[in-house]
Amino acid sequence: MDRISRLPVGIIESILCFLPIQEAARTSILSKEWRYHWLKIPKLEFIQDILQESTDVAEPSVLEQLFDGPSERKEMTSRCKLFYAIYQVLLMHQGPIHDFTIHMYVDRSCVEIDHILLHLLKKNTVKILKLDLYGNYTLPSSLFSLHQLTDLYLNGSVIDNLPSFTGFSSLTTLNLQEVYISEKALRRLLLSCPLLKRLTVDSDDSTIDVDGDSKLADFMECLPVIEYLSIWVSFYGCFIPLPGKVSTTLVHLKYLRVECLPFGHICSLPFLVLLIRSAPNIEKLKLEVAEDHLDDVERVLFRYFVGAS
């Protein structure tokens, strides 16, 4: 018996979580004791490029039952083989799934992803969910029934509407990358996350359907306990016209990150200044701008903050 095999089962499963799923599956050939360890790991990550390499070149003796099926299966398209592999893992998996990631290119309507989310909903154990789905995939209602989520990362998705959404009462981290959503749905989503501490919105006003009714104070009221906020400054387009000042303060905000300062727009800097002045306890401010605009940033910030005082 080797030293690794003598480790507690929980530690072995934690080690396997650091391996790509196909590498973790390969440990099943080590011995009878290792045959089922990988089926109990609480973290599953499916990355399209890596999985496709495995389905094409994996040794049949190692992963045949996981990634290959009968002869007709071998004639499937790479997409079908990819989802077949994911389905096999989910069907064989034992125990809870706490951390789940999918990174792939999909269609706007992808029933395979719908089925996967329904499976996770039945398990009802996922706390961290990452969906990098390039292709403007419309998220199904089942996603918004995963009430136990603490961390949600969405990239390249569409939030069409929230018909029966009752909230993510445990969510503390929300990351929206190029997510197409309406102002109304965004406000409802944020208001339904009372414990939200970390918010990233890397989606500008071209991906947010602006209805013209939002105010900066409304946005800030959605974030009563926010500590970390990262946004594209063009996000200000959702709140034009800007008020002279706002009464709501982000008293818990300590870290503010703002990307892509467009100095050509008259509202970008006033929006930034309003946001900073509404965070009295901020400890770190990170501005990401083009190198040729750095002198302008220094001059403008000096005028707003040093000159004004």
Side-chain angles (χ1 to χ4, degrees):
M1 182 70 71
D2 60 272
R3 291 184 178 180
I4 295 180
S5 298
R6 293 177 183 176
L7 293 172
V9 173
I11 294 180
I12 292 176
E13 293 174 1
S14 296
I15 293 173
L16 293 179
C17 284
F18 288 97
L19 298 176
I21 187 63
Q22 66 275 16
E23 298 295 336
R26 288 191 174 103
T27 63
S28 62
I29 68 169
L30 296 177
S31 66
K32 290 182 179 180
E33 288 76 15
W34 280 84
R35 183 172 298 172
Y36 301 108
H37 278 315
W38 76 276
L39 294 175
K40 300 177 182 179
I41 59 178
K43 180 179 179 180
L44 297 178
E45 185 177 69
F46 300 99
I47 300 176
Q48 182 173 7
D49 294 339
I50 296 176
L51 274 176
Q52 283 182 336
E53 291 177 3
S54 297
T55 58
D56 292 336
V57 304
E59 301 175 15
S61 60
V62 176
L63 294 176
E64 184 174 6
Q65 71 170 11
L66 175 59
F67 293 116
D68 292 323
S71 58
E72 63 271 15
R73 293 282 188 185
K74 295 181 180 180
E75 299 176 359
M76 289 181 176
T77 62
S78 59
R79 171 183 167 132
C80 291
K81 290 181 69 177
L82 178 63
F83 281 113
Y84 177 71
I86 295 174
Y87 289 160
Q88 290 300 301
V89 172
L90 293 177
L91 288 173
M92 292 188 292
H93 191 272
Q94 304 169 12
I97 300 173
H98 296 313
D99 190 333
F100 189 87
T101 298
I102 289 185
H103 184 291
M104 64 179 61
Y105 297 89
V106 299
D107 299 329
R108 186 176 180 87
S109 178
C110 184
V111 295
E112 294 90 346
I113 297 294
D114 295 354
H115 294 158
I116 290 171
L117 291 175
L118 282 173
H119 180 86
L120 296 178
L121 179 59
K122 291 178 181 178
K123 281 241 176 197
N124 200 35
T125 59
V126 177
K127 296 181 179 179
I128 302 174
L129 180 61
K130 301 177 183 179
L131 300 178
D132 286 329
L133 304 174
Y134 304 96
N136 295 333
Y137 166 70
T138 301
L139 296 167
S141 59
S142 56
L143 170 68
F144 301 98
S145 296
L146 295 170
H147 302 301
Q148 72 284 356
L149 287 176
T150 60
D151 300 72
L152 177 59
Y153 300 81
L154 301 175
N155 191 354
S157 303
V158 177
I159 298 178
D160 196 6
N161 52 56
L162 302 171
S164 57
F165 180 53
T166 58
F168 291 129
S169 58
S170 301
L171 198 72
T172 59
T173 299
L174 177 62
N175 192 310
L176 304 177
Q177 306 274 344
E178 294 302 318
V179 172
Y180 291 81
I181 187 173
S182 68
E183 270 186 62
K184 184 177 180 180
L186 179 60
R187 290 198 305 270
R188 183 178 177 187
L189 177 61
L190 295 178
L191 282 171
S192 302
C193 304
L195 300 182
L196 193 64
K197 295 182 178 180
R198 298 177 63 89
L199 173 64
T200 298
V201 182
D202 280 352
S203 299
D204 55 28
D205 54 351
S206 66
T207 56
I208 299 176
D209 186 11
V210 179
D211 57 28
D213 294 332
S214 293
K215 297 180 176 61
L216 184 58
D218 297 332
F219 172 68
M220 294 167 62
E221 288 174 358
C222 297
L223 308 170
V225 296
I226 198 72
E227 297 178 2
Y228 175 102
L229 179 61
S230 176
I231 58 173
W232 279 48
V233 78
S234 55
F235 186 54
Y236 67 80
C238 299
F239 307 107
I240 294 175
L242 293 171
K245 61 180 180 178
V246 292
S247 57
T248 306
T249 56
L250 303 175
V251 295
H252 298 283
L253 185 64
K254 297 180 180 179
Y255 180 96
L256 175 62
R257 174 173 170 262
V258 182
E259 290 187 77
C260 299
L261 274 170
F263 283 90
H265 198 287
I266 192 173
C267 291
S268 61
L269 287 173
F271 171 79
L272 176 62
V273 172
L274 273 175
L275 200 56
I276 295 174
R277 287 179 171 171
S278 301
N281 299 315
I282 194 169
E283 297 176 358
K284 186 174 182 179
L285 171 65
K286 184 175 182 179
L287 304 179
E288 296 188 7
V289 298
E291 187 175 352
D292 56 349
H293 285 170
L294 291 177
D295 292 339
D296 293 334
V297 173
E298 182 178 350
R299 174 177 52 79
V300 172
L301 291 181
F302 180 86
R303 184 183 68 190
Y304 268 105
F305 294 105
V306 179
S309 62

